[in-house]
Amino acid sequence: MVRPVPPVVDLLGVRKTYAQGDVVFEALSGVSLQIHQGEMVALMGPSGSGKTTLMQIIGLLDRPSSGTYHLAGRDVTTLTENERAEARNRELGFVFQAFHLLPRQTLLENVEVPMTYAGVPPRERRERALELLAEVGLADKAGNRPTQISGGQKQRVAIARALAGRPRLLLADEPTGNLDTRTSEEVMGLFARLHAQGTTVILVTHEADIGAYAERVVRVRDGLIERDERQRPHRPPPPPAAAAAETPSSEAAP
């Protein structure tokens, strides 16, 4: 008998409270959510809705105050800090709005970072990093430093780095927040291609045009899931060959 594949993310009755002096603030009020392998899901909602707290719990960056969280069938609610760090490195990849690249390291070295922490041998991690830079269209810039490339290219390096450990789940928090419209479309086109290849992606965004790339939109308000809807995702045309040759001047102002 074939056992069913468990959801990648399985939250049940998750609450998160914060104490601010004598006041207790409830950021999440009993959220239950399942996300399955290969889905591309957008978590959307206004500021203060709880979507960022939800992403932090899914990403093992924070703990729920109550409720349970199973990651790929494993209960991760009560893991120790060391176990959580190990699970993050092995199971999850992160892409942030601010890129978080190491400015003195080359793009190749930046992509190698997660594999260095994981103890991957130097030759293997170099080959893997070069493959990933080629996948995001930056193979010819492996020796460059982050100060020598554009904002869109920085985000593509960040995506390559997030994929270095072959994560089960890719989490992207406002991944186009620092980019202009054209560059945002190029980056989202890359996410769409990764999803088409089977990568499970969760996008955290407040922008409707970014949420349109997901096949499922989970709307969060006042610490609860207000709506959970499927949609036909937006898929852009293939990028022009010249996209990989964009210059640093295309970076949007912060």
Side-chain angles (χ1 to χ4, degrees), residues 12 15 22 39 52 55 61 88 107 111 122-123 146 172 214:
L12 181 61
R15 294 179 179 272
D22 295 333
E39 286 194 292
T52 298
M55 186 278 292
L61 299 170
R88 279 196 302 270
L107 306 190
V111 176
R123 182 174 178 178

PDB file of all heavy atoms in Angstrom, residues 12 15 22 39 52 55 61 88 107 111 122-123 146 172 214:
ATOM      1  N   LEU A  12      -1.647  23.497  12.274  1.00  0.00           N
ATOM      2  CA  LEU A  12      -2.949  23.211  12.879  1.00  0.00           C
ATOM      3  C   LEU A  12      -3.122  24.050  14.133  1.00  0.00           C
ATOM      4  O   LEU A  12      -2.375  23.902  15.109  1.00  0.00           O
ATOM      5  CB  LEU A  12      -3.060  21.728  13.232  1.00  0.00           C
ATOM      6  CG  LEU A  12      -4.392  21.280  13.862  1.00  0.00           C
ATOM      7  CD1 LEU A  12      -5.560  21.529  12.897  1.00  0.00           C
ATOM      8  CD2 LEU A  12      -4.328  19.808  14.257  1.00  0.00           C
ATOM      9  N   ARG A  15      -1.234  29.593  17.014  1.00  0.00           N
ATOM     10  CA  ARG A  15      -1.385  30.927  17.590  1.00  0.00           C
ATOM     11  C   ARG A  15      -0.009  31.486  17.929  1.00  0.00           C
ATOM     12  O   ARG A  15       0.901  30.739  18.280  1.00  0.00           O
ATOM     13  CB  ARG A  15      -2.243  30.884  18.872  1.00  0.00           C
ATOM     14  CG  ARG A  15      -3.687  30.490  18.619  1.00  0.00           C
ATOM     15  CD  ARG A  15      -4.490  30.428  19.919  1.00  0.00           C
ATOM     16  NE  ARG A  15      -5.878  30.069  19.660  1.00  0.00           N
ATOM     17  CZ  ARG A  15      -6.848  30.927  19.380  1.00  0.00           C
ATOM     18  NH1 ARG A  15      -6.587  32.223  19.369  1.00  0.00           N
ATOM     19  NH2 ARG A  15      -8.073  30.510  19.136  1.00  0.00           N
ATOM     20  N   ASP A  22       2.212  45.276  29.741  1.00  0.00           N
ATOM     21  CA  ASP A  22       1.079  44.551  30.316  1.00  0.00           C
ATOM     22  C   ASP A  22       0.070  44.116  29.257  1.00  0.00           C
ATOM     23  O   ASP A  22      -0.930  43.477  29.575  1.00  0.00           O
ATOM     24  CB  ASP A  22       0.356  45.438  31.353  1.00  0.00           C
ATOM     25  CG  ASP A  22       1.230  45.745  32.551  1.00  0.00           C
ATOM     26  OD1 ASP A  22       2.118  44.913  32.847  1.00  0.00           O
ATOM     27  OD2 ASP A  22       1.054  46.820  33.163  1.00  0.00           O
ATOM     28  N   GLU A  39       3.484  23.255  -4.998  1.00  0.00           N
ATOM     29  CA  GLU A  39       2.586  24.411  -5.066  1.00  0.00           C
ATOM     30  C   GLU A  39       3.383  25.717  -5.058  1.00  0.00           C
ATOM     31  O   GLU A  39       4.495  25.781  -4.529  1.00  0.00           O
ATOM     32  CB  GLU A  39       1.608  24.414  -3.893  1.00  0.00           C
ATOM     33  CG  GLU A  39       0.499  23.404  -3.991  1.00  0.00           C
ATOM     34  CD  GLU A  39      -0.609  23.676  -3.000  1.00  0.00           C
ATOM     35  OE1 GLU A  39      -0.380  23.538  -1.784  1.00  0.00           O
ATOM     36  OE2 GLU A  39      -1.727  24.030  -3.439  1.00  0.00           O
ATOM     37  N   THR A  52       3.609  38.125   7.912  1.00  0.00           N
ATOM     38  CA  THR A  52       5.041  37.988   8.160  1.00  0.00           C
ATOM     39  C   THR A  52       5.298  37.041   9.328  1.00  0.00           C
ATOM     40  O   THR A  52       6.222  36.215   9.278  1.00  0.00           O
ATOM     41  CB  THR A  52       5.666  39.359   8.432  1.00  0.00           C
ATOM     42  OG1 THR A  52       5.506  40.189   7.270  1.00  0.00           O
ATOM     43  CG2 THR A  52       7.157  39.229   8.737  1.00  0.00           C
ATOM     44  N   MET A  55       4.933  33.599   7.987  1.00  0.00           N
ATOM     45  CA  MET A  55       6.120  33.201   7.240  1.00  0.00           C
ATOM     46  C   MET A  55       7.267  32.842   8.179  1.00  0.00           C
ATOM     47  O   MET A  55       7.993  31.860   7.964  1.00  0.00           O
ATOM     48  CB  MET A  55       6.541  34.330   6.295  1.00  0.00           C
ATOM     49  CG  MET A  55       7.692  33.982   5.344  1.00  0.00           C
ATOM     50  SD  MET A  55       9.360  34.123   6.053  1.00  0.00           S
ATOM     51  CE  MET A  55       9.478  35.888   6.279  1.00  0.00           C
ATOM     52  N   LEU A  61      11.865  30.471  11.879  1.00  0.00           N
ATOM     53  CA  LEU A  61      12.533  31.639  12.441  1.00  0.00           C
ATOM     54  C   LEU A  61      11.872  32.078  13.736  1.00  0.00           C
ATOM     55  O   LEU A  61      12.411  32.910  14.472  1.00  0.00           O
ATOM     56  CB  LEU A  61      12.515  32.789  11.431  1.00  0.00           C
ATOM     57  CG  LEU A  61      13.219  32.512  10.103  1.00  0.00           C
ATOM     58  CD1 LEU A  61      12.931  33.623   9.103  1.00  0.00           C
ATOM     59  CD2 LEU A  61      14.719  32.347  10.305  1.00  0.00           C
ATOM     60  N   ARG A  88      16.383  24.202   9.104  1.00  0.00           N
ATOM     61  CA  ARG A  88      16.360  25.347   8.179  1.00  0.00           C
ATOM     62  C   ARG A  88      17.384  25.167   7.070  1.00  0.00           C
ATOM     63  O   ARG A  88      17.109  25.400   5.898  1.00  0.00           O
ATOM     64  CB  ARG A  88      16.652  26.657   8.932  1.00  0.00           C
ATOM     65  CG  ARG A  88      15.487  27.255   9.661  1.00  0.00           C
ATOM     66  CD  ARG A  88      15.745  28.707  10.046  1.00  0.00           C
ATOM     67  NE  ARG A  88      16.919  28.856  10.880  1.00  0.00           N
ATOM     68  CZ  ARG A  88      16.929  28.803  12.196  1.00  0.00           C
ATOM     69  NH1 ARG A  88      15.801  28.568  12.854  1.00  0.00           N
ATOM     70  NH2 ARG A  88      18.048  28.964  12.878  1.00  0.00           N
ATOM     71  N   LEU A 107      30.226  36.440  -6.363  1.00  0.00           N
ATOM     72  CA  LEU A 107      28.901  35.832  -6.496  1.00  0.00           C
ATOM     73  C   LEU A 107      29.006  34.327  -6.288  1.00  0.00           C
ATOM     74  O   LEU A 107      28.144  33.719  -5.646  1.00  0.00           O
ATOM     75  CB  LEU A 107      28.306  36.138  -7.865  1.00  0.00           C
ATOM     76  CG  LEU A 107      28.233  37.616  -8.280  1.00  0.00           C
ATOM     77  CD1 LEU A 107      27.389  37.744  -9.539  1.00  0.00           C
ATOM     78  CD2 LEU A 107      27.691  38.491  -7.163  1.00  0.00           C
ATOM     79  N   VAL A 111      27.027  32.106  -3.305  1.00  0.00           N
ATOM     80  CA  VAL A 111      26.161  30.948  -3.533  1.00  0.00           C
ATOM     81  C   VAL A 111      26.685  29.729  -2.775  1.00  0.00           C
ATOM     82  O   VAL A 111      25.915  28.871  -2.341  1.00  0.00           O
ATOM     83  CB  VAL A 111      26.044  30.651  -5.040  1.00  0.00           C
ATOM     84  CG1 VAL A 111      25.220  29.395  -5.295  1.00  0.00           C
ATOM     85  CG2 VAL A 111      25.412  31.853  -5.759  1.00  0.00           C
ATOM     86  N   PRO A 122      34.757  21.289  -1.057  1.00  0.00           N
ATOM     87  CA  PRO A 122      34.976  22.483  -1.893  1.00  0.00           C
ATOM     88  C   PRO A 122      34.699  22.278  -3.375  1.00  0.00           C
ATOM     89  O   PRO A 122      34.043  23.119  -4.000  1.00  0.00           O
ATOM     90  CB  PRO A 122      36.447  22.822  -1.639  1.00  0.00           C
ATOM     91  CG  PRO A 122      36.712  22.297  -0.273  1.00  0.00           C
ATOM     92  CD  PRO A 122      35.900  21.052  -0.155  1.00  0.00           C
ATOM     93  N   ARG A 123      35.199  21.197  -3.960  1.00  0.00           N
ATOM     94  CA  ARG A 123      35.005  21.000  -5.394  1.00  0.00           C
ATOM     95  C   ARG A 123      33.530  20.827  -5.731  1.00  0.00           C
ATOM     96  O   ARG A 123      33.026  21.404  -6.706  1.00  0.00           O
ATOM     97  CB  ARG A 123      35.791  19.775  -5.865  1.00  0.00           C
ATOM     98  CG  ARG A 123      35.679  19.529  -7.370  1.00  0.00           C
ATOM     99  CD  ARG A 123      36.575  18.395  -7.812  1.00  0.00           C
ATOM    100  NE  ARG A 123      36.436  18.128  -9.237  1.00  0.00           N
ATOM    101  CZ  ARG A 123      37.133  17.210  -9.888  1.00  0.00           C
ATOM    102  NH1 ARG A 123      38.037  16.477  -9.252  1.00  0.00           N
ATOM    103  NH2 ARG A 123      36.942  17.026 -11.184  1.00  0.00           N
ATOM    104  N   PRO A 146      29.009  41.719  -5.376  1.00  0.00           N
ATOM    105  CA  PRO A 146      27.666  42.296  -5.416  1.00  0.00           C
ATOM    106  C   PRO A 146      27.620  43.776  -5.800  1.00  0.00           C
ATOM    107  O   PRO A 146      26.640  44.231  -6.393  1.00  0.00           O
ATOM    108  CB  PRO A 146      27.163  42.072  -3.986  1.00  0.00           C
ATOM    109  CG  PRO A 146      27.868  40.822  -3.549  1.00  0.00           C
ATOM    110  CD  PRO A 146      29.235  40.928  -4.149  1.00  0.00           C
ATOM    111  N   ALA A 172      10.072  33.261  -0.043  1.00  0.00           N
ATOM    112  CA  ALA A 172      10.490  34.559  -0.572  1.00  0.00           C
ATOM    113  C   ALA A 172       9.675  35.664   0.084  1.00  0.00           C
ATOM    114  O   ALA A 172       8.456  35.725  -0.080  1.00  0.00           O
ATOM    115  CB  ALA A 172      10.305  34.591  -2.088  1.00  0.00           C
ATOM    116  N   ALA A 214       1.265  33.376  -8.413  1.00  0.00           N
ATOM    117  CA  ALA A 214       1.003  32.160  -7.644  1.00  0.00           C
ATOM    118  C   ALA A 214      -0.244  31.458  -8.157  1.00  0.00           C
ATOM    119  O   ALA A 214      -1.158  32.094  -8.700  1.00  0.00           O
ATOM    120  CB  ALA A 214       0.840  32.493  -6.165  1.00  0.00           C
TER     121      ALA A 214
END
